[in-house]
Amino acid sequence: MQRDLLWYLASKRLRPDHDMMDPTVVDLVERWNALHKEGRFSALNVREYWRIKVPEIYSPQLNCNCLRITFDEELAQKLLFDPLERFMCGGDPAQVFQMVKQLDTPPSLCGRVFKNGDPTYGCRDCGMDPTCVLCAECFKNSAHSKHRYKISTSSGGGYCDCGDKEAWKSDVFCDIHVKGQMVQQSQNPLEKLPPDLTERIHLIFECILPYAKELLTYEVVLSIPKDLEIRESDREPTNLSSLYDIRDTYVTMLYNDETHTYDQVISTLERAIECTHKDAVAFATSIDREGRCIVRCSSFQQCSQTKSLMEKQTSRGGGRPLKVQVMDTYIIAHQIFASRLLTWLHNILESAQAFRLIFSDIVNKDGGSIVENIIWTDTNMWKTARVQWHRLFISGMLMDQESKKLFARTFTKHYSKMMKDFILDDHDHSVSVASLGVQLFTMPTIAHMLVAEEDVLARLLNTFLSECDKKLRDNKLALEHRSSNTSSFRRIQYILYDLKYLLGVKPEIWTDDLRRGFLHGYSLLLRLLGMMQGMDPMVRQVGTHMEYEPEWESAFNLHIKLAAVIPLVIEWAASDRIVLIKAYRLLMKSLGELGTEATRRRYVRELLDYSVSCIEYDVSSAPVSIHLPLSRLVAGLTLHLDRYGLNYNSPEFLVKGKPSPEELMEPVLRTQVMIAQVHAGMWRRNGFSLINQIYFYHNVRCRQEMLDRDVMLLQIAATLIDSNEFLVHLLNRFNLMNWARDDYEIIYLRGNDEDNMRQTVVLVEEYLQLVMTVVAERYTPGIGQVEEEDRIKKEIIQLLCIEPMPHSVLNKALPEGTNHETGMEKVIDEVADFKKSSGATKGYFDLKKAYYSHYNLFFYHYTREEQSKSEVGQRARKKAAGEEECCPPPVPPPFTVPFTMIVNILQCDVFLHIIKTVLKRMSETKAQSVSESQLQKVLHLIGYALHEEERYHRNSDPYFHFTRRAQKINLLALLEGLVGHHRTSTHKDLLAWTIRKYRVVLNLSSDISKPAHETEAVLASTSSSEASAASAEKKRRAVIATQRKARIMAKMASMQQNFIKTNETFFQETPSTEQPVDIPESTPMDLTERLPEDMIAIGPRQTLAQPLDVTYTCILCHQEDAVGQGDGTTGRPMVLGGLIQRSTVLSRNRTCHLEQPENHDPLLLPADLHWGVHTSSCGHAMHAQCWQKYFDDVVTKERRRPYRFRQNLSFDIEKSEYLCPLCESLCNTALPLLPGVTYTAATIQSQNPAPTKSTIPIAEWLKGLHTILKYKTVVMSGVRPDEEGSHQDDVQIDQTPQRGAVPTSGVVVAHGTVSLPATANSMGTGGSAPILVVGVTGGGGASINVGPSLLRQVQGEGGLRGRPPRWPRLPLNKKHKKGVDGKEEEEDYSSCAEGIWTPPTLPTVAVDLMSVSSPEAAEAFTDLFNNPAATTMPTFPSQTSDMMSSFAHAVYMHGLGVNPNFSSRRIPLMVWDTAAYTIHTLEETQRNASRALLTSLSSRQRDCLAALVKFAAHVPLCVKKKQNIEGAVVRLLSVLLEGGETTPCVLEWDAFSILVTLSLGLPSVFPNIQGLAIGSVQDLHLLQVCFLAHLVQLLLTYEEQSTCTEMKVVDKTSETNQESSSSTGNGDAAWLASLLVHCRTLANLPAVNVEPQNLLDYVKESCLPFLRCCGLFFHFLTEVPAPEELQSSVWVPESEFYCLLRYLGLAVNHLKPTFSDPGLLELVNRWCSDSRVGPLVTGAGSEGCVRSWTRINQLVSLPHDYSELINTVSQFPCPASSGDDSRTPTMCLVCGKMLCSQSYCCQTEFPEGSHQMVGACTYHAHHCGAGTGIFLRVRECKILLLSGRIKGCFVNPPYLDEYGETDQGLKRGNPLHLDATQYARLHTMWLSHAIPDTIAHTMESNSSVLATEWQHL
Ligand SMILES: [Zn+2]
Ligand SMILES: [Zn+2]
Ligand SMILES: [Zn+2]
Ligand SMILES: [Zn+2]
Ligand SMILES: [Zn+2]
Ligand SMILES: [Zn+2]
Ligand SMILES: [Zn+2]
């Protein structure tokens, strides 16, 4: 409904002033003007007018269709808006608007409000924070598009920050908005406005706003505000409007909420208002979008009834019912008008600044009472009403700095109330007024103002705390999991986001107000943290397990939100000395207040000479918590004290109850000890809650404010406590005081408690680890002398030491700063090399060699898995490089001054005592309390001490002297004593390193002259060579491959085992046919090397070799069997798993679809290949019997599975799908493996070395064919139109026709009847109605009697009016009922529209041929069909025949998508079609990859095609009735040789498909003769005819411009070739040119200028695909080895052209001789003179014919830059709902159509009448891709694959970022660019029909619990 103002203004200008105005309006405005002059005009006048006019225009009508309520908007404009505008402007609105607009400086702020799904762009280089975003328009025109931008999609509500100086560090303006900046804001535009105009605008705005507010929040639904009521007095005698009558018109209004699901709402509506499902969906969609919807408009009683019905239904089960109201229609009218007014106002505000200033003036009057009012009533409104107000605030106030401040103040004042309303509300945050917080608080000046002047921090926190107070238990927050008010606590946490926004930028200048405001908020934050300190405490469970898992997630969720705030608080506090001191004092006080008597209890612990007063506590029995935010805040603040010359002991911090250093670290230490105990297995009974908490404590998402702060705090404590005492405190807390005693082992042995000992060993390890962390982890700025970048570098080095990582993985493993930045980009190039992606693997980062020496094995962020993985990796790397196999500690950076004290730990007595204890016990064989890990850690600690001493030595600082102190414990001797000890073997290299290092350091003190760096060099662990790294990677891959292989083998073995088990009897019965293994397997292709170049596949010169047996291994029983002997008896029958799918992939005409598969005549493929059936196979062979068993098992298993689990399957058992047992490829049939066809022929040839092949000339052969046609019989029959729909062909399954169904009429037409076929006879006698028989040539004796109209029907002479019939809809003879009956006739013929065609017998033809030609010709012709080579049939075992019929039927059923019908006459035709289509596909895939015909064919492609072609050759053997074959062949011959109106013309056939069908069918054309295609001379002739037909197609569609560049290039490069063939080539060119003229003349086409050479080039290029198809077909049919050139790695099209001519037995080097026979010219004449040819050639689009014969279908071309793509869809409206944006715009990559996916609005019932709704993609895929689809979900950047209605998957999009990674769902947001390789891969997948298989594999590999309902996408 939003009106664009520009349009609006334009329309204004067009309208003549005044004349068009309604006279009443003129009066009205004049009246108002008069009142205004008197100063008496007020809102009341306007309301008085609206009172009557608004209900007139906007009332819904009684019993109207609620889905299509429309109002007369034109009238509304005239009567309602015109007066407002005219009065407001005091004249012509258009002029005034123009004038006001001109006062405006061009806008320097964009402020475009985002809708849900709009793309937004942030800049990582310039954005102040991640909320600063640009709209697409500004982004495109800004400098940021060249920066590191981030793209994401808006969830609605925000606006574009372009031009906001506080949002961008640089490039604040885009090119559009910079113009606004350049013009100086001279003065307030209001001052230039005439005062009268300002006043009028004021008056109107002041009138609109309260009205809209009142009406949109109107709560009393049954009556209307008093002053808007229609009164009795309004009834004028002249006014007949029903408005004033007493009325009973109400509406039932249904509201949106977030608790009820779509489906609940839909089903409620279906029942309550009894609407259709479709309408209910429409209602639900509208409710979801608008927030409410009128569902009934009726009497009060009816509306109330509906209301209570809906409430009852939706409150079932005790839930809150849906909100339903019965409302007065007048209220509705006013509400609709109010909403229109807001839109009107919004547009006006957007148009000019003056309007905005006036608006701001009004709403901020009286301290913002209007704003306040609206904020307070926000949750009383429905969704769209709220959004309208919010939009108004944005357009009216947020564009201007001063107004924005005013608004921000009002907003802050009412924040608390607003949030409390929001908690109780049930709408999303994004439609709450509270969501405007982000717009205000992210602006630093406003934020600082609010903190200083409005106490915003305290307001926010108080609101939050008031909610927390409700959840206190023992003064701690206790968040229950499933309590009823968790949702309110979840909602209140939005406050924490606002808090984060406010603190986003720290102030540069502090004022006292700011300090006060900040510290007030801070003190409340401390209260909150105090509530969290120690929350969710855990007590170690002993004895029994925990009964239930305690809740932990809520606390962590709260932590994560606070963790974003706390660093900002620290940053603020640290930026001002006064604030810092006060904050630290407050913190110490808070901590002090938490202390109790119990926490102060001490006892004394003694070790060596040290007595330490320790805090009494036992972690293993008392409660411990992970949540210690107050303690951690101490760590955060303490780090900044030094900057102001402060420290913990400064007098400023002397406060009562200030905790001592021990007390400070105590809580943190307890947590550490608890975790250590968990590692020691002491907390096993505490369940997963604890494990999860510890996991997150360490995890990158939480650790910054957990683990990291804890380590910091311990390090701080270590500087404050004496080192010896510190270590004792730790020891005591770890409960290791006893362990540290020298006599521990002896005392322990007496106790003999093994469990305890194992725990102690681990605890010591943990203790050592903790000490090491405190001493060695120094990569925190403030602790070590490092910068932030060093910290990141360290993290990256440690991560890459685990393994090389892709960018995304690395990025995820790094902690994010407040700006969602990891800082990785700044440093990554320094430490790592990026290895580009290759093929399927992502690009990844590899650590630079120099940095391996930085590797710290005990890095504190490592998980245990990462630690061991990295250690294994690094040791392996060193071993490969021939280095010591150990990872000694790296040199850490030096501590900062305040932390220097920590190093003292490494030389203190207790430390030395501890390492001595470990080393000594290590050397005692019987000591049990030590471990290798302890030794390793101790050695590391010594290493650190030595590093440190070295550093101190270099600085000539005598303070640290480890070696001297270590003499006390005789450390060197201890270490040397361990060398060679069996317990130290794992770490012998490390031990050696330590001793060596020790000696070096020792020498330093004595030998000062030695330069230090030399020793460093000795010790520096250099990294390995690149070669070794590469070989490691190779090895890794090899290992993976081996593992994979092993898995598959294991799977196979187990499968085989199971299989043999279940088939035990079968295997015992079957004699083993295993052959000796050493016989080399050979396939026909192996012969190529030995054979001469000129192989010829067909014709009289055919090269034949004895086909060899091919042996297959059954993947199920692992036995081998041979297939291939002519008799087919050796070996048991075998099959390949196969997949048959309908396809439109090759379609050259996307407007054409196969609409009625039930009636489709598959006689031949259409020239545009708009549909076809593709067969594929994974090439895995199985015994037919094994397969059957396997398949039956699958079916039984699936049938037993509960229905609800079936949805999840990757295969659809209802469509007889299954997965290949070996490779899990999708299959839906089994393709029988049959012997070759040339077996007999080859045998005969080898027996008669001089073959006496009688080659029949093509002319004679054609005569023979014509003779067949001459004597054919055609019985036309048909069904009545009303019967047509019953699809009898496909419904009846193996059902013998009912005898009673005797046809009432029928007709037999014979062109020639030598002897009438039996069928015709039987019909003649069986039919009760007269049967008409026509004899054209009086040969037979049958009586002939035919009506003339009937003849026309058959011959098609004007039988149909108008446009000639279009292929493929063959004319149906509808006027006559079926005339077929018959004892042996089956139901199949009932719908055989094209009639029953019967050939004559061979003798008949021979006799006739003899008379018209010669006896020799007759003999030769007879021999073609009679010779033993072609007619010796293999005898298949019955099982093979069964498999054959079953496969043939599967092709029919799956290919057409029809019901089973084993006797359909279309079965053999479908098999031949699929063979042709599959060959076409393979040819295109090869050509697409620029490959020669047979180059790099995979074995699965080869096996599949070989089996398919052989099967197609044998298909006549397995059809139920051979007459079907005969009939089809005769029909096809008639199409080819006779033509006629009823058959498709030459431009409508696919010439190759005719060739396939005729080659395979013609040998069986005669009754009683079963023949095979063997590549005989007949095949050659057929090829000649079909090739000629194709040439005619090419010539007819030739366009001079289409010069074939590719061939030309080839010509130029091979000059000699051209020279030598120029004479012949020219001959061809001239011949083709004359043929072209000839054809075009016949077709009545205008003459064209032809350059013969161009024409020849064109023909050679264009007919190559046809020849390639023929090559493939005859290669796999005859098994004649192909010349090497067809398999060469370089594809030279022209030479392949000649090569194929030779291979196909055609005239080599020129075309003309092949077609020189006059008989062929006659055919050309017939084809071209068809009256339809001309119009087809000249026609365009779907009316035209195929023109580009070589085009390979591509997926739609996508823009290079992804943002371009997403911008184009940002405005894509849902086609089903008017004007609304689609949420999931999805593009079909096949045709480019944009769809509104995964949305109720665009679901369609499919199949019609099934009551099943499918999504837009599924529906589209059905038509566009015959059920298979490939889509791009644009907003999420995901590729969606769909197949077979219920299956689908997502795969990687072809868009990659600079790191070669995809970004599904735009989670990373990096700029994405189209990757041609990836897209080509998708294209190949689509082109090779691999989508269903890809889906099956993907679904199989990730079986998620939650099934996606793919059909709804
Ligand atoms: Zn913008
Ligand atoms: Zn801009
Ligand atoms: Zn930028
Ligand atoms: Zn088997
Ligand atoms: Zn397989
Ligand atoms: Zn839609
Ligand atoms: Zn499409």
Side-chain angles (χ1 to χ4, degrees), residues 1206-1238:
R1206 278 191 212 162
Q1207 307 297 324
N1208 245 337
L1209 281 183
S1210 51
F1211 57 96
D1212 185 356
I1213 199 72
E1214 302 299 329
K1215 294 187 178 145
S1216 56
E1217 289 176 352
Y1218 64 98
L1219 299 181
C1220 165
L1222 184 60
C1223 67
E1224 293 183 338
S1225 286
L1226 186 69
C1227 303
N1228 58 9
T1229 183
L1231 172 55
L1233 285 165
L1234 299 176
V1237 293
T1238 53

Side-chain angles (χ1 to χ4, degrees), residues 404-515:
K404 193 173 180 177
K405 276 187 181 162
L406 285 175
F407 181 66
R409 284 180 197 270
T410 318
F411 185 84
T412 307
K413 278 197 191 104
H414 301 284
Y415 190 86
S416 184
K417 156 87 173 143
M418 201 162 61
M419 278 320 285
K420 282 178 178 159
D421 286 348
F422 168 67
I423 294 170
L424 298 174
D425 186 32
D426 63 355
H427 278 52
D428 283 343
H429 186 251
S430 60
V431 293
S432 157
V433 69
S435 68
L436 290 176
V438 63
Q439 312 300 347
L440 305 168
F441 297 156
T442 47
M443 196 168 180
T445 47
I446 287 188
H448 297 164
M449 175 198 81
L450 293 175
V451 171
E453 293 166 33
E454 299 291 338
D455 207 11
V456 66
L457 295 180
R459 277 179 199 272
L460 262 60
L461 278 159
N462 267 325
T463 315
F464 191 72
L465 282 169
S466 69
E467 216 41 47
C468 294
D469 283 336
K470 297 179 194 159
K471 303 199 169 281
L472 284 187
R473 201 188 296 147
D474 300 335
N475 283 325
K476 297 261 162 292
L477 262 184
L479 305 175
E480 297 105 21
H481 189 31
R482 279 184 223 293
S483 78
S484 56
N485 45 7
T486 40
S487 89
S488 70
F489 196 73
R490 209 178 54 234
R491 290 170 85 88
I492 198 82
Q493 291 183 39
Y494 278 102
I495 293 180
L496 301 179
Y497 291 121
D498 284 341
L499 210 51
K500 185 178 80 181
Y501 299 143
L502 279 168
L503 296 168
V505 178
K506 69 175 179 210
E508 296 300 321
I509 299 151
W510 283 86
T511 62
D512 282 346
D513 281 343
L514 194 56
R515 290 192 183 103

